[in-house]
Amino acid sequence: MDVILPKRPRINPVSPVEVRLTAREDQLCTLLDEFCASLNSQKPEMDPVMCRIAGGWVRDKLLGMDSDDIDIAINTMTGEAFAQGLLDSGKIESAGATIASNPEQSKHLATTKIKLLDYEVDLVNLRSESYTEDSRIPEIAFGTPQEDAERRDLTINAMFYNVHSRAIEDLTGY
């Protein structure tokens, strides 16, 4: 039996938050945006591929700090498949290394690490988690940005930076 958590009320922010990108961060977002556009033009019948920066980088940028902690959450494919696409298109020299999921060690999702514009970048897919009544180990599935945000441990970690719209996404409303 799945445990269903109650929905929290949505609170709209008073004003949008602006994030200032360095020239290199802007270059990274542009590269990701253009690569996704290329993928999307090849398969227009599919849901569009979108990238969001998640976690520590968003927190650091909101605090006005520089950050190299870049985790890219992808909506329609695994990090490994995305890295392979970057390699095939000549955007990177190596498909990187994939750290396999290992639920027994609380590692529930494969993560692919690549070098992109001199950044060490982690690539993962957006995900949802559900729990059975008799287990603390979640069952993982592809998820929406909303589902991914709601499973995160802290509200600040639930914020994304959308590389396409160049805006912070606060889907939890807090």
Side-chain angles (χ1 to χ4, degrees):
M1 177 176 172
D2 291 342
V3 176
I4 299 173
L5 299 174
K7 295 284 183 189
R8 296 179 286 212
R10 301 268 177 251
I11 301 170
N12 293 324
V14 175
S15 62
V17 177
E18 183 180 329
V19 170
R20 296 184 194 273
L21 301 180
T22 66
R24 200 170 71 150
E25 290 167 337
D26 183 64
Q27 187 180 8
L28 176 70
C29 289
T30 298
L31 185 150
L32 292 169
D33 183 46
E34 290 174 354
F35 179 66
C36 287
S38 172
L39 290 175
N40 295 334
S41 70
Q42 294 169 24
K43 297 187 179 184
E45 71 283 358
M46 304 293 284
D47 286 341
V49 179
M50 296 182 70
C51 292
R52 291 168 170 84
I53 303 175
W57 183 90
V58 178
R59 175 202 61 230
D60 292 347
K61 296 308 283 187
L62 288 173
L63 292 172
M65 299 166 42
D66 288 335
S67 181
D68 288 336
D69 180 16
I70 300 179
D71 300 330
I72 306 293
I74 307 152
N75 66 326
T76 61
M77 60 191 345
T78 65
E80 189 171 25
F82 193 82
Q84 187 62 52
L86 286 167
L87 179 66
D88 293 346
S89 69
K91 304 287 186 198
I92 57 176
E93 295 178 12
S94 165
T98 298
I99 302 160
S101 64
N102 186 349
E104 292 78 31
Q105 303 269 326
S106 293
K107 175 73 176 132
H108 306 292
L109 183 72
T111 302
T112 299
K113 293 183 166 296
I114 63 168
K115 188 90 162 173
L116 190 58
L117 299 179
D118 292 326
Y119 285 109
E120 294 285 334
V121 176
D122 288 350
L123 301 171
V124 297
N125 58 276
L126 292 171
R127 62 194 183 270
S128 65
E129 294 179 352
S130 62
Y131 295 83
T132 59
E133 203 171 274
D134 60 342
S135 176
R136 295 181 348 176
I137 298 174
E139 294 178 20
I140 305 295
F142 271 86
T144 65
Q146 183 75 45
E147 290 167 327
D148 193 276
E150 289 178 351
R151 68 158 192 85
R152 292 179 178 265
D153 58 347
L154 295 169
T155 303
I156 194 82
N157 289 340
M159 292 186 186
F160 299 109
Y161 182 78
N162 186 312
V163 303
H164 312 288
S165 66
R166 303 292 177 100
I168 295 287
E169 295 176 334
D170 178 9
L171 302 173
T172 61
Y174 292 102

